[in-house]
Amino acid sequence: MYSMMKFRSIISILAILMVFGHLSISNAYAYLDPGSVSIIIQMLVGTLVGVGIALKLYWQKIRMKFLKQ
């Protein structure tokens, strides 16, 4: 019982700190340079290629799952 009350008090304190932390954030006035955009595009392409390879590897299992129903 004591540990549950302690856990709730810790959660309450963390929630209050998060609210105050969110209210104290100011604008960054930042920009995305071409290098950042290039890395973001590479991550998106890599994700799509990874999903394609995973589908290729598990295609038989996926197809059998839909054909059984």
Side-chain angles (χ1 to χ4, degrees):
M1 186 70 176
Y2 175 73
S3 63
M4 185 58 122
M5 290 173 48
K6 187 174 180 181
F7 178 73
R8 285 187 182 180
S9 66
I10 290 172
I11 295 296
S12 300
I13 291 170
L14 286 175
I16 291 170
L17 289 174
M18 286 175 61
V19 168
F20 283 121
H22 179 67
L23 293 175
S24 67
I25 295 174
S26 62
N27 293 335
Y29 300 110
Y31 68 98
L32 293 176
D33 62 345
S36 300
V37 176
S38 172
I39 290 174
I40 292 170
I41 291 172
Q42 288 178 20
M43 287 190 311
L44 292 173
V45 169
T47 302
L48 292 174
V49 169
V51 168
I53 290 173
L55 283 175
K56 182 180 177 184
L57 290 174
Y58 293 105
W59 178 248
Q60 290 294 330
K61 290 182 182 180
I62 294 169
R63 199 171 85 182
M64 288 300 170
K65 187 172 266 194
F66 284 115
L67 290 177
K68 284 184 179 179
Q69 296 176 357

